[in-house]
Amino acid sequence: MRRWKLAQSTFSATRRHGLKIEKNANGTFKYTYVEVDHKDLSFPSKMYCCPLPSSEINGNQSVSQYPEWQ
């Protein structure tokens, strides 16, 4: 999703959920969707590029940090 720049439009304002599986007394299973986190996901546009480590920036003066991460 990051490669094609679709993550921000797809993942923002959505919620994750999980599946709780319980075994009943008769041997069958009960499946229930549960909330994993109680807030919407957020994928800011700066997450499309990872920040450069400070050791790389300090070791090479011709390299600068991405503007989104300054």
Side-chain angles (χ1 to χ4, degrees):
M1 297 301 284
R2 286 175 59 184
R3 176 182 292 177
W4 296 288
K5 304 251 187 214
L6 296 173
Q8 189 174 20
S9 62
T10 304
F11 295 144
S12 293
T14 59
R15 291 196 177 183
R16 290 182 281 187
H17 63 275
L19 187 63
K20 182 178 179 183
I21 304 171
E22 298 175 298
K23 188 173 184 178
N24 298 325
N26 63 359
T28 62
F29 292 94
K30 177 183 174 186
Y31 302 95
T32 309
Y33 284 105
V34 294
E35 291 285 329
V36 175
D37 51 3
H38 299 286
K39 59 183 178 179
D40 291 343
L41 291 176
S42 174
F43 190 93
S45 62
K46 74 178 188 176
M47 296 300 288
Y48 285 120
C49 60
C50 296
L52 298 173
S54 57
S55 60
E56 292 294 325
I57 296 170
N58 295 337
N60 187 347
Q61 297 300 320
S62 62
V63 175
S64 62
Q65 187 62 269
Y66 292 110
E68 299 91 358
W69 289 101
Q70 290 181 352

